[in-house]
């Protein structure tokens, strides 16, 4: 089985972070590839961005998935998941769906942190799907839009530290910083004292391995 981890935006920075964090899970290099969707928005930060990315995925789907047996849509909203499922030809998974599924299988709830209140209804729609119900214990929304995070990284990190301390005091449930823009930030927090902040890429890989083994 060969897996394509597809970043449905065109950010080289985010794609490099995904590539590094996936490589850290120890998969053989020839068993997967990580790439972004050329021509897509730099960040999926609106419903318009979501639709543009989906249209590009549909247009280039056959060439993108050629030679692969599994496709993982690597965005906070699993952008392109439904489109890929409809087009078929490969086994399709979503990043956030897989993280939620992993914690559901471990009988764990998650405290979720997202970015940009305008995107909250889209996240809530994903969290409230039948298979995801009861996994998300609570949701905290950062005031920063995803596109602004890179330009204000230290300010965002300070706010995340404060938020994670509050969440840790309130519950022992793991903390999930949702989205590709949060991967680097979550890694930085785990290197500090924030052990409740999950590694979503590790959770994703664990879920995929569990499915492959049939357990």
């Amino acid at each position: 089985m060969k897996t394509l981890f597809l970043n449905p935006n065109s950010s080289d920075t985010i794609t490099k972070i995904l590539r590094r964090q996936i490589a850290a899970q120890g998969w053989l290099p020839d068993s997967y590839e990580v790439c972004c969707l050329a021509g897509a928005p730099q960040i999926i930060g609106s419903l318009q961005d979501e639709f543009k990315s989906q249209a590009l995925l549909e247009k280039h789907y056959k060439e993108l998935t050629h030679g692969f047996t599994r496709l993982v849509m690597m965005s906070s909203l699993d952008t392109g998941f439904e489109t890929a499922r409809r087009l078929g030809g490969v086994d399709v998974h979503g990043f956030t769906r897989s993280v939620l599924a992993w914690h559901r299988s471990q009988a764990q709830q998650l405290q979720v942190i997202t970015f940009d209140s305008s995107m909250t209804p889209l996240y809530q729609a994903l969290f409230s799907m039948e298979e995801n119900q009861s996994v998300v214990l609570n949701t905290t929304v950062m005031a920063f839009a995803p596109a602004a995070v890179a330009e204000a990284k230290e300010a965002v990190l300070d706010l995340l530290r404060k938020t994670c301390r509050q969440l840790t005091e309130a519950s022992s449930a793991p903390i999930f910083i949702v989205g590709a823009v949060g991967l680097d930030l979550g890694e930085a927090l785990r290197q500090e004292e924030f052990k409740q902040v999950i590694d979503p890429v590790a959770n994703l890989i664990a879920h995929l391995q569990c499915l492959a083994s049939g357990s």
Side-chain angles (χ1 to χ4, degrees):
M1 176 175 283
K2 188 171 184 178
T3 302
L4 173 63
F5 294 95
L6 180 61
N7 174 16
N9 67 51
S10 59
S11 169
D12 288 334
T13 299
I14 290 175
T15 305
K16 287 177 181 176
I17 293 170
L18 290 171
R19 190 172 288 122
R20 172 171 53 80
Q21 294 197 2
I22 291 168
Q25 301 306 311
W27 276 17
L28 295 174
D30 61 354
S31 68
Y32 72 94
E33 289 184 20
V34 182
C35 72
C36 61
L37 186 56
Q42 279 280 305
I43 295 288
I44 308 296
S46 68
L47 197 56
Q48 183 179 3
D49 292 340
E50 181 94 351
F51 290 151
K52 183 176 181 180
S53 179
Q54 289 176 14
L56 280 167
L57 174 66
E58 184 160 6
K59 181 179 180 180
H60 299 289
Y61 186 77
K62 286 188 177 180
E63 61 194 83
L64 283 167
T65 58
H66 180 73
F68 294 95
T69 52
R70 181 165 58 188
L71 171 66
V72 186
M73 302 307 302
M74 297 297 294
S75 81
S76 59
L77 291 169
D78 296 343
T79 299
F81 175 85
E82 298 294 349
T83 299
R85 278 284 179 93
R86 173 171 53 82
L87 294 173
V90 293
D91 187 20
V92 180
H93 300 272
F95 185 12
T96 299
R97 281 174 171 84
S98 295
V99 174
L100 296 177
W102 173 250
H103 285 274
R104 184 175 64 247
S105 73
Q106 304 302 301
Q108 289 181 332
Q109 288 185 298
L110 289 168
Q111 303 187 84
V112 166
I113 298 175
T114 66
F115 296 91
D116 193 352
S117 59
S118 69
M119 300 286 283
T120 299
L122 300 177
Y123 289 120
Q124 293 296 349
L126 181 57
F127 299 155
S128 64
M129 289 179 177
E130 184 177 354
E131 65 269 26
N132 298 332
Q133 287 180 3
S134 79
V135 179
V136 176
L137 177 62
N138 54 56
T139 303
T140 302
V141 183
M142 298 285 100
F144 294 88
V149 171
E151 297 177 3
K153 185 174 179 179
E154 287 307 315
V156 176
L157 197 52
D158 284 342
L159 183 56
L160 280 172
R161 288 188 185 101
K162 180 180 178 181
T163 301
C164 288
R165 289 190 187 101
Q166 293 171 341
L167 293 175
T168 300
E169 290 171 0
S171 173
S172 61
I175 299 168
F176 177 20
I177 302 172
V178 177
V181 296
L183 289 176
D184 224 12
L185 299 168
E187 187 174 54
L189 290 172
R190 285 191 300 276
Q191 291 173 357
E192 298 178 14
E193 76 269 25
F194 299 97
K195 303 305 180 185
Q196 279 179 236
V197 176
I198 67 168
D199 179 349
V201 172
N203 293 167
L204 163 69
I205 299 300
H207 175 67
L208 294 178
Q209 291 175 328
C210 185
L211 291 177
S213 66
S215 59

PDB file of all heavy atoms in Angstrom, residues 1 12-13 16 23 30 65 68 82 85 93 100 113 121 131-132 144-147 150 163 172 183 197 201:
ATOM      1  N   MET A   1       0.842  -1.190   0.000  1.00  0.00           N
ATOM      2  CA  MET A   1       0.000   0.000   0.000  1.00  0.00           C
ATOM      3  C   MET A   1       0.882   1.247   0.000  1.00  0.00           C
ATOM      4  O   MET A   1       1.819   1.351   0.783  1.00  0.00           O
ATOM      5  CB  MET A   1      -0.914   0.002   1.243  1.00  0.00           C
ATOM      6  CG  MET A   1      -1.757   1.263   1.375  1.00  0.00           C
ATOM      7  SD  MET A   1      -2.926   1.208   2.755  1.00  0.00           S
ATOM      8  CE  MET A   1      -4.188   0.142   2.072  1.00  0.00           C
ATOM      9  N   ASP A  12       4.077  25.820   0.891  1.00  0.00           N
ATOM     10  CA  ASP A  12       5.279  24.990   1.005  1.00  0.00           C
ATOM     11  C   ASP A  12       5.694  24.837   2.470  1.00  0.00           C
ATOM     12  O   ASP A  12       6.187  23.776   2.867  1.00  0.00           O
ATOM     13  CB  ASP A  12       6.429  25.618   0.212  1.00  0.00           C
ATOM     14  CG  ASP A  12       6.234  25.507  -1.289  1.00  0.00           C
ATOM     15  OD1 ASP A  12       5.536  24.577  -1.733  1.00  0.00           O
ATOM     16  OD2 ASP A  12       6.766  26.361  -2.024  1.00  0.00           O
ATOM     17  N   THR A  13       5.491  25.891   3.259  1.00  0.00           N
ATOM     18  CA  THR A  13       5.877  25.849   4.677  1.00  0.00           C
ATOM     19  C   THR A  13       5.097  24.775   5.415  1.00  0.00           C
ATOM     20  O   THR A  13       5.682  23.955   6.146  1.00  0.00           O
ATOM     21  CB  THR A  13       5.637  27.222   5.340  1.00  0.00           C
ATOM     22  OG1 THR A  13       6.436  28.205   4.680  1.00  0.00           O
ATOM     23  CG2 THR A  13       6.011  27.172   6.812  1.00  0.00           C
ATOM     24  N   LYS A  16       6.129  21.258   4.284  1.00  0.00           N
ATOM     25  CA  LYS A  16       7.406  20.831   4.871  1.00  0.00           C
ATOM     26  C   LYS A  16       7.203  20.355   6.317  1.00  0.00           C
ATOM     27  O   LYS A  16       7.825  19.379   6.753  1.00  0.00           O
ATOM     28  CB  LYS A  16       8.414  21.968   4.818  1.00  0.00           C
ATOM     29  CG  LYS A  16       8.958  22.246   3.425  1.00  0.00           C
ATOM     30  CD  LYS A  16       9.901  23.445   3.418  1.00  0.00           C
ATOM     31  CE  LYS A  16      10.409  23.733   2.019  1.00  0.00           C
ATOM     32  NZ  LYS A  16      11.266  24.956   1.984  1.00  0.00           N
ATOM     33  N   ALA A  23       7.468  11.899   8.549  1.00  0.00           N
ATOM     34  CA  ALA A  23       8.715  11.135   8.490  1.00  0.00           C
ATOM     35  C   ALA A  23       9.140  10.677   9.883  1.00  0.00           C
ATOM     36  O   ALA A  23       9.728   9.594  10.041  1.00  0.00           O
ATOM     37  CB  ALA A  23       9.817  11.977   7.853  1.00  0.00           C
ATOM     38  N   ASP A  30       9.619   4.899   0.738  1.00  0.00           N
ATOM     39  CA  ASP A  30       8.940   4.559  -0.516  1.00  0.00           C
ATOM     40  C   ASP A  30       7.495   4.124  -0.309  1.00  0.00           C
ATOM     41  O   ASP A  30       6.819   3.735  -1.264  1.00  0.00           O
ATOM     42  CB  ASP A  30       9.717   3.476  -1.268  1.00  0.00           C
ATOM     43  CG  ASP A  30       9.835   2.170  -0.485  1.00  0.00           C
ATOM     44  OD1 ASP A  30       9.407   2.139   0.695  1.00  0.00           O
ATOM     45  OD2 ASP A  30      10.353   1.188  -1.043  1.00  0.00           O
ATOM     46  N   THR A  65      -3.577  10.996  -7.795  1.00  0.00           N
ATOM     47  CA  THR A  65      -3.703   9.704  -7.103  1.00  0.00           C
ATOM     48  C   THR A  65      -3.101   8.537  -7.882  1.00  0.00           C
ATOM     49  O   THR A  65      -3.076   7.413  -7.364  1.00  0.00           O
ATOM     50  CB  THR A  65      -5.181   9.400  -6.800  1.00  0.00           C
ATOM     51  OG1 THR A  65      -5.935   9.379  -8.030  1.00  0.00           O
ATOM     52  CG2 THR A  65      -5.774  10.442  -5.872  1.00  0.00           C
ATOM     53  N   PHE A  68      -1.101   5.444  -6.259  1.00  0.00           N
ATOM     54  CA  PHE A  68      -1.363   5.362  -4.825  1.00  0.00           C
ATOM     55  C   PHE A  68      -2.593   4.498  -4.551  1.00  0.00           C
ATOM     56  O   PHE A  68      -3.492   4.402  -5.380  1.00  0.00           O
ATOM     57  CB  PHE A  68      -1.591   6.759  -4.230  1.00  0.00           C
ATOM     58  CG  PHE A  68      -0.380   7.634  -4.273  1.00  0.00           C
ATOM     59  CD1 PHE A  68      -0.198   8.531  -5.323  1.00  0.00           C
ATOM     60  CD2 PHE A  68       0.589   7.548  -3.292  1.00  0.00           C
ATOM     61  CE1 PHE A  68       0.924   9.341  -5.376  1.00  0.00           C
ATOM     62  CE2 PHE A  68       1.724   8.352  -3.337  1.00  0.00           C
ATOM     63  CZ  PHE A  68       1.893   9.246  -4.387  1.00  0.00           C
ATOM     64  N   GLU A  82     -14.873  14.558   0.879  1.00  0.00           N
ATOM     65  CA  GLU A  82     -16.094  14.094   0.219  1.00  0.00           C
ATOM     66  C   GLU A  82     -15.897  14.002  -1.288  1.00  0.00           C
ATOM     67  O   GLU A  82     -16.392  13.069  -1.936  1.00  0.00           O
ATOM     68  CB  GLU A  82     -17.270  15.019   0.549  1.00  0.00           C
ATOM     69  CG  GLU A  82     -17.622  15.086   2.027  1.00  0.00           C
ATOM     70  CD  GLU A  82     -18.153  13.765   2.573  1.00  0.00           C
ATOM     71  OE1 GLU A  82     -18.445  12.859   1.760  1.00  0.00           O
ATOM     72  OE2 GLU A  82     -18.273  13.642   3.803  1.00  0.00           O
ATOM     73  N   ARG A  85     -13.881  10.849  -1.948  1.00  0.00           N
ATOM     74  CA  ARG A  85     -14.726   9.669  -1.737  1.00  0.00           C
ATOM     75  C   ARG A  85     -15.644   9.437  -2.938  1.00  0.00           C
ATOM     76  O   ARG A  85     -15.860   8.304  -3.365  1.00  0.00           O
ATOM     77  CB  ARG A  85     -15.566   9.846  -0.467  1.00  0.00           C
ATOM     78  CG  ARG A  85     -14.832   9.498   0.825  1.00  0.00           C
ATOM     79  CD  ARG A  85     -14.730   7.981   0.981  1.00  0.00           C
ATOM     80  NE  ARG A  85     -14.020   7.590   2.171  1.00  0.00           N
ATOM     81  CZ  ARG A  85     -14.604   7.323   3.346  1.00  0.00           C
ATOM     82  NH1 ARG A  85     -15.911   7.458   3.479  1.00  0.00           N
ATOM     83  NH2 ARG A  85     -13.882   6.943   4.366  1.00  0.00           N
ATOM     84  N   HIS A  93      -9.078   8.995   3.445  1.00  0.00           N
ATOM     85  CA  HIS A  93      -9.193   9.333   4.867  1.00  0.00           C
ATOM     86  C   HIS A  93      -9.015  10.833   5.041  1.00  0.00           C
ATOM     87  O   HIS A  93      -8.400  11.509   4.218  1.00  0.00           O
ATOM     88  CB  HIS A  93      -8.128   8.589   5.682  1.00  0.00           C
ATOM     89  CG  HIS A  93      -8.224   7.117   5.573  1.00  0.00           C
ATOM     90  ND1 HIS A  93      -9.008   6.353   6.408  1.00  0.00           N
ATOM     91  CD2 HIS A  93      -7.649   6.253   4.684  1.00  0.00           C
ATOM     92  CE1 HIS A  93      -8.915   5.081   6.060  1.00  0.00           C
ATOM     93  NE2 HIS A  93      -8.097   5.000   5.017  1.00  0.00           N
ATOM     94  N   LEU A 100      -9.912  12.149  15.454  1.00  0.00           N
ATOM     95  CA  LEU A 100     -11.095  11.926  16.287  1.00  0.00           C
ATOM     96  C   LEU A 100     -11.387  10.435  16.431  1.00  0.00           C
ATOM     97  O   LEU A 100     -11.715   9.950  17.521  1.00  0.00           O
ATOM     98  CB  LEU A 100     -12.303  12.647  15.690  1.00  0.00           C
ATOM     99  CG  LEU A 100     -12.228  14.178  15.632  1.00  0.00           C
ATOM    100  CD1 LEU A 100     -13.466  14.742  14.948  1.00  0.00           C
ATOM    101  CD2 LEU A 100     -12.074  14.779  17.020  1.00  0.00           C
ATOM    102  N   ILE A 113      -8.876  23.125  20.272  1.00  0.00           N
ATOM    103  CA  ILE A 113      -8.566  24.535  20.026  1.00  0.00           C
ATOM    104  C   ILE A 113      -8.558  24.749  18.515  1.00  0.00           C
ATOM    105  O   ILE A 113      -7.870  24.032  17.784  1.00  0.00           O
ATOM    106  CB  ILE A 113      -7.197  24.928  20.608  1.00  0.00           C
ATOM    107  CG1 ILE A 113      -7.199  24.759  22.129  1.00  0.00           C
ATOM    108  CG2 ILE A 113      -6.849  26.369  20.243  1.00  0.00           C
ATOM    109  CD1 ILE A 113      -5.839  25.016  22.774  1.00  0.00           C
ATOM    110  N   PRO A 121     -18.497  27.344  12.509  1.00  0.00           N
ATOM    111  CA  PRO A 121     -19.606  26.486  12.058  1.00  0.00           C
ATOM    112  C   PRO A 121     -19.151  25.293  11.224  1.00  0.00           C
ATOM    113  O   PRO A 121     -19.752  24.210  11.303  1.00  0.00           O
ATOM    114  CB  PRO A 121     -20.473  27.447  11.233  1.00  0.00           C
ATOM    115  CG  PRO A 121     -20.169  28.800  11.777  1.00  0.00           C
ATOM    116  CD  PRO A 121     -18.707  28.755  12.130  1.00  0.00           C
ATOM    117  N   GLU A 131     -20.478   9.817  13.714  1.00  0.00           N
ATOM    118  CA  GLU A 131     -19.336   9.037  14.167  1.00  0.00           C
ATOM    119  C   GLU A 131     -18.412   9.816  15.099  1.00  0.00           C
ATOM    120  O   GLU A 131     -17.582   9.226  15.802  1.00  0.00           O
ATOM    121  CB  GLU A 131     -18.535   8.504  12.965  1.00  0.00           C
ATOM    122  CG  GLU A 131     -17.880   9.568  12.113  1.00  0.00           C
ATOM    123  CD  GLU A 131     -18.760  10.047  10.963  1.00  0.00           C
ATOM    124  OE1 GLU A 131     -19.994   9.960  11.083  1.00  0.00           O
ATOM    125  OE2 GLU A 131     -18.206  10.506   9.955  1.00  0.00           O
ATOM    126  N   ASN A 132     -18.531  11.156  15.088  1.00  0.00           N
ATOM    127  CA  ASN A 132     -17.660  11.984  15.924  1.00  0.00           C
ATOM    128  C   ASN A 132     -18.333  12.495  17.193  1.00  0.00           C
ATOM    129  O   ASN A 132     -17.666  13.114  18.031  1.00  0.00           O
ATOM    130  CB  ASN A 132     -17.161  13.198  15.124  1.00  0.00           C
ATOM    131  CG  ASN A 132     -16.321  12.797  13.926  1.00  0.00           C
ATOM    132  OD1 ASN A 132     -15.683  11.752  13.927  1.00  0.00           O
ATOM    133  ND2 ASN A 132     -16.328  13.625  12.893  1.00  0.00           N
ATOM    134  N   PHE A 144      -7.114  34.600  16.293  1.00  0.00           N
ATOM    135  CA  PHE A 144      -6.288  34.732  15.090  1.00  0.00           C
ATOM    136  C   PHE A 144      -6.844  33.900  13.939  1.00  0.00           C
ATOM    137  O   PHE A 144      -7.185  32.728  14.117  1.00  0.00           O
ATOM    138  CB  PHE A 144      -4.857  34.271  15.371  1.00  0.00           C
ATOM    139  CG  PHE A 144      -4.118  35.140  16.343  1.00  0.00           C
ATOM    140  CD1 PHE A 144      -4.193  34.901  17.705  1.00  0.00           C
ATOM    141  CD2 PHE A 144      -3.337  36.196  15.898  1.00  0.00           C
ATOM    142  CE1 PHE A 144      -3.508  35.692  18.612  1.00  0.00           C
ATOM    143  CE2 PHE A 144      -2.642  36.995  16.785  1.00  0.00           C
ATOM    144  CZ  PHE A 144      -2.734  36.745  18.153  1.00  0.00           C
ATOM    145  N   ALA A 145      -6.917  34.497  12.746  1.00  0.00           N
ATOM    146  CA  ALA A 145      -7.229  33.732  11.541  1.00  0.00           C
ATOM    147  C   ALA A 145      -6.012  32.906  11.158  1.00  0.00           C
ATOM    148  O   ALA A 145      -4.874  33.315  11.423  1.00  0.00           O
ATOM    149  CB  ALA A 145      -7.605  34.679  10.400  1.00  0.00           C
ATOM    150  N   PRO A 146      -6.208  31.732  10.526  1.00  0.00           N
ATOM    151  CA  PRO A 146      -5.059  30.895  10.149  1.00  0.00           C
ATOM    152  C   PRO A 146      -3.979  31.630   9.364  1.00  0.00           C
ATOM    153  O   PRO A 146      -2.795  31.428   9.595  1.00  0.00           O
ATOM    154  CB  PRO A 146      -5.714  29.795   9.305  1.00  0.00           C
ATOM    155  CG  PRO A 146      -7.096  29.688   9.843  1.00  0.00           C
ATOM    156  CD  PRO A 146      -7.487  31.090  10.204  1.00  0.00           C
ATOM    157  N   ALA A 147      -4.391  32.511   8.449  1.00  0.00           N
ATOM    158  CA  ALA A 147      -3.410  33.224   7.621  1.00  0.00           C
ATOM    159  C   ALA A 147      -2.558  34.183   8.431  1.00  0.00           C
ATOM    160  O   ALA A 147      -1.459  34.560   8.007  1.00  0.00           O
ATOM    161  CB  ALA A 147      -4.131  33.983   6.516  1.00  0.00           C
ATOM    162  N   ALA A 150       1.226  32.807  11.133  1.00  0.00           N
ATOM    163  CA  ALA A 150       2.665  32.832  10.826  1.00  0.00           C
ATOM    164  C   ALA A 150       3.276  34.193  11.118  1.00  0.00           C
ATOM    165  O   ALA A 150       4.436  34.288  11.548  1.00  0.00           O
ATOM    166  CB  ALA A 150       2.894  32.456   9.364  1.00  0.00           C
ATOM    167  N   THR A 163      -4.097  29.455  27.262  1.00  0.00           N
ATOM    168  CA  THR A 163      -5.304  28.653  27.034  1.00  0.00           C
ATOM    169  C   THR A 163      -5.101  27.210  27.480  1.00  0.00           C
ATOM    170  O   THR A 163      -5.973  26.617  28.133  1.00  0.00           O
ATOM    171  CB  THR A 163      -5.692  28.699  25.543  1.00  0.00           C
ATOM    172  OG1 THR A 163      -5.931  30.053  25.161  1.00  0.00           O
ATOM    173  CG2 THR A 163      -6.942  27.878  25.276  1.00  0.00           C
ATOM    174  N   SER A 172      -8.495  16.702  32.578  1.00  0.00           N
ATOM    175  CA  SER A 172      -7.328  15.894  32.208  1.00  0.00           C
ATOM    176  C   SER A 172      -7.422  15.394  30.772  1.00  0.00           C
ATOM    177  O   SER A 172      -6.523  14.682  30.301  1.00  0.00           O
ATOM    178  CB  SER A 172      -7.195  14.701  33.159  1.00  0.00           C
ATOM    179  OG  SER A 172      -8.342  13.865  33.070  1.00  0.00           O
ATOM    180  N   LEU A 183       0.284  22.748  13.831  1.00  0.00           N
ATOM    181  CA  LEU A 183       1.199  21.620  14.019  1.00  0.00           C
ATOM    182  C   LEU A 183       2.511  22.049  14.652  1.00  0.00           C
ATOM    183  O   LEU A 183       2.997  21.421  15.597  1.00  0.00           O
ATOM    184  CB  LEU A 183       1.458  20.923  12.681  1.00  0.00           C
ATOM    185  CG  LEU A 183       0.300  20.127  12.089  1.00  0.00           C
ATOM    186  CD1 LEU A 183       0.680  19.580  10.724  1.00  0.00           C
ATOM    187  CD2 LEU A 183      -0.120  18.991  13.019  1.00  0.00           C
ATOM    188  N   VAL A 197      -1.104  18.231  25.296  1.00  0.00           N
ATOM    189  CA  VAL A 197      -1.264  18.588  23.884  1.00  0.00           C
ATOM    190  C   VAL A 197      -0.854  17.389  23.028  1.00  0.00           C
ATOM    191  O   VAL A 197       0.277  16.919  23.092  1.00  0.00           O
ATOM    192  CB  VAL A 197      -0.409  19.820  23.527  1.00  0.00           C
ATOM    193  CG1 VAL A 197      -0.497  20.120  22.023  1.00  0.00           C
ATOM    194  CG2 VAL A 197      -0.867  21.030  24.335  1.00  0.00           C
ATOM    195  N   VAL A 201      -0.443  14.126  14.201  1.00  0.00           N
ATOM    196  CA  VAL A 201       0.123  13.306  13.128  1.00  0.00           C
ATOM    197  C   VAL A 201       0.387  11.893  13.633  1.00  0.00           C
ATOM    198  O   VAL A 201       0.094  10.909  12.947  1.00  0.00           O
ATOM    199  CB  VAL A 201       1.408  13.948  12.565  1.00  0.00           C
ATOM    200  CG1 VAL A 201       2.094  13.003  11.582  1.00  0.00           C
ATOM    201  CG2 VAL A 201       1.081  15.274  11.875  1.00  0.00           C
TER     202      VAL A 201
END
